Amino acid sequence: MSIKVVTIVGARPQFIKAAAVSRVVRDDYAGKIDEVIVHTGQHYDANMSRVFFEELDIPEPGYNLEISGGQHGAMTGRMLEAVEKVLLAEKPDWVLIYGDTNSTLAGALAAAKLHIPVAHVEAGLRSFNMRMPEEINRILSDRISTLLFCPTETAVRNLQAEGILKGVHNAGDVMYDVALFYRDRARQQSSILGDLKLESHGFALATCHRAENTDDPQRLGQILSALAEIASQCPVVFPLHPRTRKLIGDYGLSRLLGKLVVTEPLNFLDMVALEQAAHFILTDSGGVQKEAFFYGVPCLTMRDETEWVETVELGGNRLVGASSSAIVDAVAEIMSGQPADAAASPYGTGKAAFKILSHLA
Ligand code: UDP
């Protein structure tokens, strides 16, 4: 007899993580696990959503709730109501949630109230900054999850410190599974270096979308000034998140984009190809910090803290905050630093999806 799993996704990083797990469902658990995907609609632009389903071979969602925009509370509330209806109709054995978005919390809460067990992939991550919407979503989702799949030992310890001991497994990081699967494919199939006329290791790659940076005109201005200054030394490729693009316009900061190689959000293979070929990476993204680490590319994280402390401890990543001078100074330093100790492999063996599904099944 097969078990039914409803997977809740809504945002770009969740599509990428879910791709790793759905592939193993299809390849190794056909007839044993029946997966129904629910797309909340949180990210809806084609280049933030559809492109990932096509490129990463993610099964078509059974439901698209088309819920996006508005304040966090309103968005989460609408998702909660809509996910509950889906769960009442589907009656799954498990609800599978990923990461730390409003879709994660809405899925966890809807399931827990219906006494459907929740499995959380990427459990136990903490920034210890309760002003981050992601931190609130993580803590609450973990508290009501039955199975907690941690990507690292640090995450396991974070849960222990909160008294959460039952159902906790260090499965490794599904993003590492993804990196191993797409690393060579991206290099072979992407033509982005030629399209943007870039030389391998002759450019920097930058991303910025965290609310703590984009919702503060001061911080966003400092970050863009730093990128503009770095761009006078080497090309800086800046795939622009739609929210960041809108806020740059609202704050009147568009002139700071003039020297950058600004692109629309990239498809995954192009992004991974650029990451591997970059001289260094500047980011506030959780996923991009780790991908830099996996590919051995020096990374500066434009935040005051990180959930992925191993990347910093092992020398591949540095927290530089959002001051323009600190970012520019750190570029010089990271270039002369040692490469990260990748042999330490704190993110598992690339079999996280398999481990997660073996527990579920
Ligand atoms: N990504 C992408 N195209 C882009 C920017 C990012 O495919 O233009 C990928 C990136 O490689 C990583 C993931 O999106 O796998 C990270 O998502 P994001 O930065 O939106 O969220 P976070 O990881 O911070 O939650």
Side-chain angles (χ1 to χ4, degrees):
M1 224 187 64
S2 67
I3 62 162
K4 187 191 265 190
V5 176
V6 165
T7 295
I8 314 275
V9 291
R12 174 171 64 190
Q14 293 169 326
F15 308 142
I16 297 169
K17 291 164 200 165
V21 175
S22 289
R23 182 174 326 104
V24 178
V25 170
R26 203 174 46 218
D27 293 351
D28 297 293
Y29 285 92
K32 296 185 205 135
I33 294 180
D34 175 18
E35 185 185 33
V36 178
I37 295 180
V38 177
H39 186 331
T40 62
Q42 190 173 344
H43 282 171
Y44 54 87
D45 289 344
N47 55 19
M48 296 290 288
S49 171
R50 172 114 308 275
V51 70
F52 293 94
F53 279 82
E54 286 167 6
E55 194 177 32
L56 308 186
D57 238 348
I58 308 169
E60 206 46 43
Y63 298 83
N64 193 327
L65 307 179
E66 297 182 4
I67 297 167
S68 64
Q71 292 288 327
H72 281 275
M75 190 204 290
T76 313
R78 281 153 61 216
M79 287 176 183
L80 178 59
E81 194 174 354
V83 171
E84 182 174 64
K85 283 192 187 126
V86 172
L87 298 183
L88 285 169
E90 291 288 341
K91 300 187 178 44
D93 299 294
W94 284 96
V95 167
L96 186 58
I97 55 168
Y98 290 88
D100 52 24
T101 71
N102 293 339
S103 305
T104 314
L105 178 59
L109 201 46
K113 295 252 180 170
L114 294 171
H115 308 298
I116 301 167
V118 177
H120 186 197
V121 176
E122 220 176 59
L125 289 185
R126 298 291 182 263
S127 65
F128 303 101
N129 175 359
M130 282 302 283
R131 291 187 58 81
M132 287 179 75
E134 294 91 340
E135 185 77 352
I136 299 166
N137 292 338
R138 289 176 194 130
I139 291 176
L140 298 179
S141 298
D142 282 341
R143 186 64 188 77
I144 53 178
S145 290
T146 302
L147 280 176
L148 299 100
F149 295 114
C150 296
T152 61
E153 272 310 310
T154 310
V156 173
R157 284 196 298 274
N158 289 339
L159 291 176
Q160 277 169 355
E162 292 173 20
I164 302 177
L165 308 173
K166 246 179 91 188
V168 176
H169 302 276
N170 180 355
D173 187 354
V174 285
M175 288 298 286
Y176 188 46
D177 298 20
V178 172
L180 293 179
F181 192 83
Y182 287 102
R183 176 167 55 189
D184 295 341
R185 282 177 176 78
R187 273 204 308 264
Q188 287 152 10
Q189 293 173 27
S190 167
S191 59
I192 189 82
L193 286 186
D195 297 345
L196 297 179
K197 301 188 174 44
L198 297 166
E199 278 178 32
S200 193
H201 303 292
F203 66 95
L205 175 65
T207 75
C208 176
H209 76 290
R210 286 254 98 72
E212 69 216 52
N213 288 332
T214 59
D215 293 5
D216 179 343
Q218 192 76 24
R219 279 180 81 99
L220 189 56
Q222 288 278 316
I223 287 172
L224 294 176
S225 301
L227 298 184
E229 193 168 335
I230 295 162
S232 59
Q233 293 157 41
C234 74
V236 176
V237 182
F238 192 39
L240 204 42
H241 194 286
R243 232 168 51 81
T244 312
R245 182 184 286 278
K246 178 180 179 302
L247 290 165
I248 289 173
D250 291 352
Y251 304 152
L253 294 171
S254 302
R255 73 199 136 74
L256 292 170
L257 295 177
K259 288 191 189 155
L260 311 182
V261 183
V262 175
T263 73
E264 290 297 313
L266 296 169
N267 66 53
F268 191 60
L269 290 183
D270 283 349
M271 184 67 184
V272 169
L274 282 182
E275 286 173 340
Q276 292 180 84
H279 198 16
F280 58 97
I281 291 176
L282 299 131
T283 192
D284 61 7
S285 155
V288 177
Q289 281 174 63
K290 269 179 304 156
E291 285 163 343
F293 177 83
F294 298 150
Y295 302 134
V297 177
C299 183
L300 297 175
T301 293
M302 302 182 291
R303 288 181 53 194
D304 300 324
E305 68 272 315
T306 181
E307 300 76 14
W308 304 103
V309 289
E310 305 77 13
T311 60
V312 176
E313 286 162 7
L314 294 167
N317 188 11
R318 225 180 112 172
L319 291 173
V320 286
S323 123
S324 173
S325 57
I327 297 170
V328 172
D329 291 350
V331 166
E333 285 170 33
I334 198 164
M335 295 323 301
S336 56
Q338 295 294 313
D341 179 8
S345 65
Y347 297 109
T349 57
K351 297 267 179 220
F354 196 82
K355 285 191 186 158
I356 287 165
L357 289 169
S358 66
H359 281 288
L360 278 188

